[in-house]
Each structure stands twice: as C-alpha cells, then as structure tokens.
PDB file of all heavy atoms in Angstrom:
ATOM      1  N   GLU A1263      65.676 192.310-142.986  1.00  0.00           N
ATOM      2  CA  GLU A1263      64.469 192.319-142.174  1.00  0.00           C
ATOM      3  C   GLU A1263      64.401 191.135-141.222  1.00  0.00           C
ATOM      4  O   GLU A1263      63.833 191.239-140.141  1.00  0.00           O
ATOM      5  CB  GLU A1263      63.228 192.287-143.080  1.00  0.00           C
ATOM      6  CG  GLU A1263      63.059 193.527-143.906  1.00  0.00           C
ATOM      7  CD  GLU A1263      61.838 193.446-144.802  1.00  0.00           C
ATOM      8  OE1 GLU A1263      60.952 192.598-144.552  1.00  0.00           O
ATOM      9  OE2 GLU A1263      61.774 194.232-145.761  1.00  0.00           O
ATOM     10  N   ASP A1264      64.938 189.999-141.635  1.00  0.00           N
ATOM     11  CA  ASP A1264      64.816 188.790-140.833  1.00  0.00           C
ATOM     12  C   ASP A1264      65.924 187.820-141.235  1.00  0.00           C
ATOM     13  O   ASP A1264      66.482 187.933-142.319  1.00  0.00           O
ATOM     14  CB  ASP A1264      63.450 188.139-141.075  1.00  0.00           C
ATOM     15  CG  ASP A1264      63.046 187.154-140.001  1.00  0.00           C
ATOM     16  OD1 ASP A1264      63.798 186.993-139.009  1.00  0.00           O
ATOM     17  OD2 ASP A1264      61.976 186.545-140.133  1.00  0.00           O
ATOM     18  N   VAL A1265      66.211 186.908-140.356  1.00  0.00           N
ATOM     19  CA  VAL A1265      67.182 185.857-140.629  1.00  0.00           C
ATOM     20  C   VAL A1265      66.466 184.529-140.451  1.00  0.00           C
ATOM     21  O   VAL A1265      65.751 184.326-139.471  1.00  0.00           O
ATOM     22  CB  VAL A1265      68.385 185.943-139.658  1.00  0.00           C
ATOM     23  CG1 VAL A1265      69.317 184.762-139.850  1.00  0.00           C
ATOM     24  CG2 VAL A1265      69.126 187.252-139.851  1.00  0.00           C
ATOM     25  N   ILE A1266      66.634 183.651-141.414  1.00  0.00           N
ATOM     26  CA  ILE A1266      66.014 182.330-141.359  1.00  0.00           C
ATOM     27  C   ILE A1266      67.130 181.302-141.343  1.00  0.00           C
ATOM     28  O   ILE A1266      68.042 181.353-142.178  1.00  0.00           O
ATOM     29  CB  ILE A1266      65.077 182.117-142.561  1.00  0.00           C
ATOM     30  CG1 ILE A1266      63.933 183.138-142.466  1.00  0.00           C
ATOM     31  CG2 ILE A1266      64.559 180.693-142.611  1.00  0.00           C
ATOM     32  CD1 ILE A1266      63.060 183.212-143.652  1.00  0.00           C
ATOM     33  N   LEU A1267      67.068 180.398-140.396  1.00  0.00           N
ATOM     34  CA  LEU A1267      68.112 179.398-140.253  1.00  0.00           C
ATOM     35  C   LEU A1267      67.727 178.100-140.953  1.00  0.00           C
ATOM     36  O   LEU A1267      66.574 177.667-140.881  1.00  0.00           O
ATOM     37  CB  LEU A1267      68.364 179.116-138.772  1.00  0.00           C
ATOM     38  CG  LEU A1267      68.802 180.314-137.931  1.00  0.00           C
ATOM     39  CD1 LEU A1267      68.941 179.899-136.472  1.00  0.00           C
ATOM     40  CD2 LEU A1267      70.100 180.892-138.453  1.00  0.00           C
ATOM     41  N   VAL A1268      68.689 177.500-141.615  1.00  0.00           N
ATOM     42  CA  VAL A1268      68.522 176.171-142.190  1.00  0.00           C
ATOM     43  C   VAL A1268      69.646 175.302-141.656  1.00  0.00           C
ATOM     44  O   VAL A1268      70.751 175.783-141.399  1.00  0.00           O
ATOM     45  CB  VAL A1268      68.512 176.185-143.736  1.00  0.00           C
ATOM     46  CG1 VAL A1268      67.261 176.839-144.268  1.00  0.00           C
ATOM     47  CG2 VAL A1268      69.733 176.867-144.296  1.00  0.00           C
ATOM     48  N   SER A1269      69.370 174.039-141.494  1.00  0.00           N
ATOM     49  CA  SER A1269      70.371 173.127-140.944  1.00  0.00           C
ATOM     50  C   SER A1269      71.333 172.660-142.038  1.00  0.00           C
ATOM     51  O   SER A1269      71.045 172.771-143.237  1.00  0.00           O
ATOM     52  CB  SER A1269      69.686 171.908-140.323  1.00  0.00           C
ATOM     53  OG  SER A1269      69.129 171.086-141.338  1.00  0.00           O
ATOM     54  N   ASP A1270      72.451 172.119-141.608  1.00  0.00           N
ATOM     55  CA  ASP A1270      73.405 171.535-142.556  1.00  0.00           C
ATOM     56  C   ASP A1270      72.733 170.430-143.354  1.00  0.00           C
ATOM     57  O   ASP A1270      72.932 170.322-144.569  1.00  0.00           O
ATOM     58  CB  ASP A1270      74.612 170.959-141.820  1.00  0.00           C
ATOM     59  CG  ASP A1270      75.508 172.034-141.219  1.00  0.00           C
ATOM     60  OD1 ASP A1270      75.334 173.218-141.542  1.00  0.00           O
ATOM     61  OD2 ASP A1270      76.394 171.665-140.429  1.00  0.00           O
ATOM     62  N   GLU A1271      71.949 169.608-142.697  1.00  0.00           N
ATOM     63  CA  GLU A1271      71.263 168.511-143.385  1.00  0.00           C
ATOM     64  C   GLU A1271      70.318 169.043-144.460  1.00  0.00           C
ATOM     65  O   GLU A1271      70.250 168.495-145.565  1.00  0.00           O
ATOM     66  CB  GLU A1271      70.484 167.669-142.372  1.00  0.00           C
ATOM     67  CG  GLU A1271      69.789 166.485-142.996  1.00  0.00           C
ATOM     68  CD  GLU A1271      69.028 165.650-141.973  1.00  0.00           C
ATOM     69  OE1 GLU A1271      69.453 165.570-140.815  1.00  0.00           O
ATOM     70  OE2 GLU A1271      67.999 165.074-142.364  1.00  0.00           O
ATOM     71  N   GLU A1272      69.582 170.109-144.158  1.00  0.00           N
ATOM     72  CA  GLU A1272      68.671 170.688-145.146  1.00  0.00           C
ATOM     73  C   GLU A1272      69.445 171.241-146.340  1.00  0.00           C
ATOM     74  O   GLU A1272      69.024 171.081-147.491  1.00  0.00           O
ATOM     75  CB  GLU A1272      67.835 171.795-144.489  1.00  0.00           C
ATOM     76  CG  GLU A1272      66.822 171.264-143.500  1.00  0.00           C
ATOM     77  CD  GLU A1272      66.207 172.331-142.620  1.00  0.00           C
ATOM     78  OE1 GLU A1272      66.850 173.370-142.365  1.00  0.00           O
ATOM     79  OE2 GLU A1272      65.072 172.107-142.159  1.00  0.00           O
ATOM     80  N   ILE A1273      70.580 171.854-146.089  1.00  0.00           N
ATOM     81  CA  ILE A1273      71.408 172.390-147.171  1.00  0.00           C
ATOM     82  C   ILE A1273      71.965 171.260-148.039  1.00  0.00           C
ATOM     83  O   ILE A1273      71.917 171.319-149.268  1.00  0.00           O
ATOM     84  CB  ILE A1273      72.535 173.267-146.612  1.00  0.00           C
ATOM     85  CG1 ILE A1273      71.949 174.580-146.076  1.00  0.00           C
ATOM     86  CG2 ILE A1273      73.604 173.544-147.668  1.00  0.00           C
ATOM     87  CD1 ILE A1273      72.936 175.456-145.346  1.00  0.00           C
ATOM     88  N   LEU A1274      72.466 170.206-147.404  1.00  0.00           N
ATOM     89  CA  LEU A1274      73.036 169.094-148.171  1.00  0.00           C
ATOM     90  C   LEU A1274      71.970 168.360-148.973  1.00  0.00           C
ATOM     91  O   LEU A1274      72.220 167.927-150.103  1.00  0.00           O
ATOM     92  CB  LEU A1274      73.781 168.144-147.238  1.00  0.00           C
ATOM     93  CG  LEU A1274      75.008 168.761-146.549  1.00  0.00           C
ATOM     94  CD1 LEU A1274      75.651 167.747-145.613  1.00  0.00           C
ATOM     95  CD2 LEU A1274      76.008 169.276-147.560  1.00  0.00           C
ATOM     96  N   THR A1275      70.781 168.233-148.421  1.00  0.00           N
ATOM     97  CA  THR A1275      69.668 167.622-149.160  1.00  0.00           C
ATOM     98  C   THR A1275      69.325 168.474-150.381  1.00  0.00           C
ATOM     99  O   THR A1275      69.085 167.957-151.473  1.00  0.00           O
ATOM    100  CB  THR A1275      68.438 167.447-148.253  1.00  0.00           C
ATOM    101  OG1 THR A1275      68.788 166.586-147.176  1.00  0.00           O
ATOM    102  CG2 THR A1275      67.262 166.877-149.016  1.00  0.00           C
ATOM    103  N   CYS A1276      69.321 169.774-150.201  1.00  0.00           N
ATOM    104  CA  CYS A1276      69.068 170.684-151.313  1.00  0.00           C
ATOM    105  C   CYS A1276      70.152 170.554-152.377  1.00  0.00           C
ATOM    106  O   CYS A1276      69.854 170.501-153.573  1.00  0.00           O
ATOM    107  CB  CYS A1276      68.979 172.119-150.807  1.00  0.00           C
ATOM    108  SG  CYS A1276      68.658 173.316-152.117  1.00  0.00           S
ATOM    109  N   MET A1277      71.422 170.492-151.959  1.00  0.00           N
ATOM    110  CA  MET A1277      72.526 170.299-152.915  1.00  0.00           C
ATOM    111  C   MET A1277      72.302 169.050-153.749  1.00  0.00           C
ATOM    112  O   MET A1277      72.499 169.057-154.967  1.00  0.00           O
ATOM    113  CB  MET A1277      73.858 170.156-152.177  1.00  0.00           C
ATOM    114  CG  MET A1277      74.508 171.421-151.733  1.00  0.00           C
ATOM    115  SD  MET A1277      76.079 171.101-150.902  1.00  0.00           S
ATOM    116  CE  MET A1277      77.114 170.607-152.269  1.00  0.00           C
ATOM    117  N   SER A1278      71.899 167.985-153.089  1.00  0.00           N
ATOM    118  CA  SER A1278      71.681 166.719-153.762  1.00  0.00           C
ATOM    119  C   SER A1278      70.539 166.827-154.775  1.00  0.00           C
ATOM    120  O   SER A1278      70.654 166.358-155.911  1.00  0.00           O
ATOM    121  CB  SER A1278      71.375 165.636-152.732  1.00  0.00           C
ATOM    122  OG  SER A1278      71.141 164.410-153.356  1.00  0.00           O
ATOM    123  N   ARG A1279      69.446 167.457-154.361  1.00  0.00           N
ATOM    124  CA  ARG A1279      68.298 167.618-155.271  1.00  0.00           C
ATOM    125  C   ARG A1279      68.685 168.455-156.483  1.00  0.00           C
ATOM    126  O   ARG A1279      68.280 168.151-157.612  1.00  0.00           O
ATOM    127  CB  ARG A1279      67.121 168.234-154.533  1.00  0.00           C
ATOM    128  CG  ARG A1279      66.482 167.278-153.543  1.00  0.00           C
ATOM    129  CD  ARG A1279      65.331 167.890-152.802  1.00  0.00           C
ATOM    130  NE  ARG A1279      64.200 168.106-153.700  1.00  0.00           N
ATOM    131  CZ  ARG A1279      63.024 168.569-153.294  1.00  0.00           C
ATOM    132  NH1 ARG A1279      62.842 168.851-152.016  1.00  0.00           N
ATOM    133  NH2 ARG A1279      62.040 168.750-154.143  1.00  0.00           N
ATOM    134  N   LEU A1280      69.442 169.521-156.254  1.00  0.00           N
ATOM    135  CA  LEU A1280      69.865 170.361-157.373  1.00  0.00           C
ATOM    136  C   LEU A1280      70.808 169.608-158.298  1.00  0.00           C
ATOM    137  O   LEU A1280      70.701 169.717-159.524  1.00  0.00           O
ATOM    138  CB  LEU A1280      70.525 171.641-156.848  1.00  0.00           C
ATOM    139  CG  LEU A1280      69.597 172.616-156.133  1.00  0.00           C
ATOM    140  CD1 LEU A1280      70.405 173.745-155.500  1.00  0.00           C
ATOM    141  CD2 LEU A1280      68.546 173.171-157.078  1.00  0.00           C
ATOM    142  N   PHE A1281      71.723 168.850-157.721  1.00  0.00           N
ATOM    143  CA  PHE A1281      72.661 168.071-158.529  1.00  0.00           C
ATOM    144  C   PHE A1281      71.915 167.054-159.390  1.00  0.00           C
ATOM    145  O   PHE A1281      72.271 166.830-160.547  1.00  0.00           O
ATOM    146  CB  PHE A1281      73.686 167.378-157.633  1.00  0.00           C
ATOM    147  CG  PHE A1281      74.794 166.729-158.410  1.00  0.00           C
ATOM    148  CD1 PHE A1281      75.806 167.489-158.971  1.00  0.00           C
ATOM    149  CD2 PHE A1281      74.823 165.353-158.582  1.00  0.00           C
ATOM    150  CE1 PHE A1281      76.832 166.896-159.697  1.00  0.00           C
ATOM    151  CE2 PHE A1281      75.842 164.749-159.310  1.00  0.00           C
ATOM    152  CZ  PHE A1281      76.841 165.528-159.865  1.00  0.00           C
ATOM    153  N   ASP A1282      70.853 166.464-158.830  1.00  0.00           N
ATOM    154  CA  ASP A1282      70.052 165.485-159.574  1.00  0.00           C
ATOM    155  C   ASP A1282      69.410 166.085-160.827  1.00  0.00           C
ATOM    156  O   ASP A1282      69.122 165.361-161.776  1.00  0.00           O
ATOM    157  CB  ASP A1282      68.967 164.882-158.682  1.00  0.00           C
ATOM    158  CG  ASP A1282      69.523 163.916-157.653  1.00  0.00           C
ATOM    159  OD1 ASP A1282      70.697 163.488-157.787  1.00  0.00           O
ATOM    160  OD2 ASP A1282      68.793 163.595-156.689  1.00  0.00           O
ATOM    161  N   ILE A1283      69.184 167.406-160.826  1.00  0.00           N
ATOM    162  CA  ILE A1283      68.605 168.036-162.016  1.00  0.00           C
ATOM    163  C   ILE A1283      69.660 168.791-162.835  1.00  0.00           C
ATOM    164  O   ILE A1283      69.325 169.569-163.716  1.00  0.00           O
ATOM    165  CB  ILE A1283      67.418 168.965-161.663  1.00  0.00           C
ATOM    166  CG1 ILE A1283      67.870 170.118-160.770  1.00  0.00           C
ATOM    167  CG2 ILE A1283      66.281 168.184-161.055  1.00  0.00           C
ATOM    168  CD1 ILE A1283      66.817 171.210-160.603  1.00  0.00           C
ATOM    169  N   GLY A1284      70.945 168.563-162.499  1.00  0.00           N
ATOM    170  CA  GLY A1284      72.023 169.099-163.311  1.00  0.00           C
ATOM    171  C   GLY A1284      72.635 170.406-162.845  1.00  0.00           C
ATOM    172  O   GLY A1284      73.385 171.024-163.592  1.00  0.00           O
ATOM    173  N   LEU A1285      72.318 170.842-161.630  1.00  0.00           N
ATOM    174  CA  LEU A1285      72.898 172.079-161.116  1.00  0.00           C
ATOM    175  C   LEU A1285      73.934 171.768-160.047  1.00  0.00           C
ATOM    176  O   LEU A1285      73.679 170.987-159.136  1.00  0.00           O
ATOM    177  CB  LEU A1285      71.815 172.980-160.512  1.00  0.00           C
ATOM    178  CG  LEU A1285      70.758 173.498-161.480  1.00  0.00           C
ATOM    179  CD1 LEU A1285      69.678 174.253-160.727  1.00  0.00           C
ATOM    180  CD2 LEU A1285      71.395 174.399-162.527  1.00  0.00           C
ATOM    181  N   LYS A1286      75.092 172.383-160.184  1.00  0.00           N
ATOM    182  CA  LYS A1286      76.153 172.212-159.198  1.00  0.00           C
ATOM    183  C   LYS A1286      76.241 173.494-158.385  1.00  0.00           C
ATOM    184  O   LYS A1286      76.504 174.566-158.941  1.00  0.00           O
ATOM    185  CB  LYS A1286      77.481 171.919-159.890  1.00  0.00           C
ATOM    186  CG  LYS A1286      78.613 171.614-158.940  1.00  0.00           C
ATOM    187  CD  LYS A1286      79.878 171.267-159.690  1.00  0.00           C
ATOM    188  CE  LYS A1286      80.651 172.525-159.969  1.00  0.00           C
ATOM    189  NZ  LYS A1286      82.016 172.326-160.394  1.00  0.00           N
ATOM    190  N   ALA A1287      76.000 173.403-157.077  1.00  0.00           N
ATOM    191  CA  ALA A1287      76.055 174.579-156.214  1.00  0.00           C
ATOM    192  C   ALA A1287      76.731 174.212-154.907  1.00  0.00           C
ATOM    193  O   ALA A1287      76.570 173.104-154.399  1.00  0.00           O
ATOM    194  CB  ALA A1287      74.652 175.105-155.954  1.00  0.00           C
ATOM    195  N   GLU A1288      77.491 175.148-154.369  1.00  0.00           N
ATOM    196  CA  GLU A1288      78.139 174.909-153.081  1.00  0.00           C
ATOM    197  C   GLU A1288      77.118 175.098-151.954  1.00  0.00           C
ATOM    198  O   GLU A1288      76.048 175.670-152.170  1.00  0.00           O
ATOM    199  CB  GLU A1288      79.339 175.824-152.921  1.00  0.00           C
ATOM    200  CG  GLU A1288      79.014 177.285-152.935  1.00  0.00           C
ATOM    201  CD  GLU A1288      80.261 178.141-153.043  1.00  0.00           C
ATOM    202  OE1 GLU A1288      81.228 177.758-153.718  1.00  0.00           O
ATOM    203  OE2 GLU A1288      80.243 179.217-152.429  1.00  0.00           O
ATOM    204  N   PRO A1289      77.429 174.613-150.765  1.00  0.00           N
ATOM    205  CA  PRO A1289      76.463 174.665-149.661  1.00  0.00           C
ATOM    206  C   PRO A1289      75.878 176.053-149.399  1.00  0.00           C
ATOM    207  O   PRO A1289      74.654 176.192-149.291  1.00  0.00           O
ATOM    208  CB  PRO A1289      77.261 174.151-148.463  1.00  0.00           C
ATOM    209  CG  PRO A1289      78.273 173.231-149.062  1.00  0.00           C
ATOM    210  CD  PRO A1289      78.647 173.874-150.369  1.00  0.00           C
ATOM    211  N   SER A1290      76.702 177.078-149.329  1.00  0.00           N
ATOM    212  CA  SER A1290      76.168 178.416-149.038  1.00  0.00           C
ATOM    213  C   SER A1290      75.236 178.904-150.140  1.00  0.00           C
ATOM    214  O   SER A1290      74.307 179.662-149.874  1.00  0.00           O
ATOM    215  CB  SER A1290      77.304 179.407-148.818  1.00  0.00           C
ATOM    216  OG  SER A1290      78.085 179.534-149.988  1.00  0.00           O
ATOM    217  N   GLY A1291      75.457 178.448-151.350  1.00  0.00           N
ATOM    218  CA  GLY A1291      74.612 178.840-152.466  1.00  0.00           C
ATOM    219  C   GLY A1291      73.267 178.153-152.471  1.00  0.00           C
ATOM    220  O   GLY A1291      72.388 178.502-153.258  1.00  0.00           O
ATOM    221  N   CYS A1292      73.094 177.166-151.620  1.00  0.00           N
ATOM    222  CA  CYS A1292      71.838 176.413-151.536  1.00  0.00           C
ATOM    223  C   CYS A1292      70.954 176.853-150.366  1.00  0.00           C
ATOM    224  O   CYS A1292      69.836 176.367-150.226  1.00  0.00           O
ATOM    225  CB  CYS A1292      72.126 174.925-151.363  1.00  0.00           C
ATOM    226  SG  CYS A1292      72.957 174.177-152.760  1.00  0.00           S
ATOM    227  N   ALA A1293      71.433 177.741-149.539  1.00  0.00           N
ATOM    228  CA  ALA A1293      70.710 178.087-148.306  1.00  0.00           C
ATOM    229  C   ALA A1293      69.308 178.621-148.572  1.00  0.00           C
ATOM    230  O   ALA A1293      68.338 178.188-147.930  1.00  0.00           O
ATOM    231  CB  ALA A1293      71.520 179.079-147.481  1.00  0.00           C
ATOM    232  N   ALA A1294      69.165 179.538-149.509  1.00  0.00           N
ATOM    233  CA  ALA A1294      67.840 180.116-149.783  1.00  0.00           C
ATOM    234  C   ALA A1294      66.877 179.054-150.312  1.00  0.00           C
ATOM    235  O   ALA A1294      65.727 178.980-149.897  1.00  0.00           O
ATOM    236  CB  ALA A1294      67.964 181.271-150.766  1.00  0.00           C
ATOM    237  N   MET A1295      67.358 178.219-151.225  1.00  0.00           N
ATOM    238  CA  MET A1295      66.512 177.149-151.772  1.00  0.00           C
ATOM    239  C   MET A1295      66.160 176.143-150.690  1.00  0.00           C
ATOM    240  O   MET A1295      65.026 175.648-150.643  1.00  0.00           O
ATOM    241  CB  MET A1295      67.228 176.469-152.936  1.00  0.00           C
ATOM    242  CG  MET A1295      66.388 175.465-153.662  1.00  0.00           C
ATOM    243  SD  MET A1295      65.058 176.297-154.544  1.00  0.00           S
ATOM    244  CE  MET A1295      64.263 174.896-155.283  1.00  0.00           C
ATOM    245  N   ALA A1296      67.086 175.831-149.802  1.00  0.00           N
ATOM    246  CA  ALA A1296      66.812 174.913-148.697  1.00  0.00           C
ATOM    247  C   ALA A1296      65.712 175.471-147.802  1.00  0.00           C
ATOM    248  O   ALA A1296      64.854 174.722-147.326  1.00  0.00           O
ATOM    249  CB  ALA A1296      68.083 174.653-147.890  1.00  0.00           C
ATOM    250  N   ALA A1297      65.729 176.772-147.584  1.00  0.00           N
ATOM    251  CA  ALA A1297      64.673 177.398-146.775  1.00  0.00           C
ATOM    252  C   ALA A1297      63.309 177.244-147.443  1.00  0.00           C
ATOM    253  O   ALA A1297      62.318 176.922-146.786  1.00  0.00           O
ATOM    254  CB  ALA A1297      65.002 178.864-146.522  1.00  0.00           C
ATOM    255  N   ILE A1298      63.267 177.440-148.757  1.00  0.00           N
ATOM    256  CA  ILE A1298      62.002 177.280-149.499  1.00  0.00           C
ATOM    257  C   ILE A1298      61.529 175.831-149.436  1.00  0.00           C
ATOM    258  O   ILE A1298      60.367 175.553-149.137  1.00  0.00           O
ATOM    259  CB  ILE A1298      62.171 177.703-150.976  1.00  0.00           C
ATOM    260  CG1 ILE A1298      62.452 179.192-151.092  1.00  0.00           C
ATOM    261  CG2 ILE A1298      60.958 177.293-151.808  1.00  0.00           C
ATOM    262  CD1 ILE A1298      61.285 180.102-150.898  1.00  0.00           C
TER     263      ILE A1298
END
C-alpha cells in the first residue's frame, strides 16, 4: 500500500538500541523498527 523510507543513520541507531537489549539484527532487519 505504501513505502516508508528510513535513513541509514536511523537504521544504525535502531541496530544499536536493539543490541543494547540483547538482540542482534542486520540493517535490513531493523528497517521496520527504525520507522516506528
């Protein structure tokens, strides 16, 4: 229905936040969470 863009910086920040709580995810796997 729609495409939402997130920046590389937003994705990397999300990766870092997830890693801080014990989750390891690659950049593409963080895109939806970065959007939220």
Side-chain angles (χ1 to χ4, degrees):
E1263 294 179 18
D1264 198 3
V1265 174
I1266 296 171
L1267 300 177
V1268 290
S1269 70
D1270 290 348
E1271 182 179 328
E1272 290 167 333
I1273 289 173
L1274 296 178
T1275 299
C1276 180
M1277 279 181 72
S1278 179
R1279 289 179 69 176
L1280 292 172
F1281 188 76
D1282 287 345
I1283 62 169
L1285 296 174
K1286 185 177 89 166
E1288 62 191 35
S1290 62
C1292 295
M1295 186 68 180
I1298 294 284

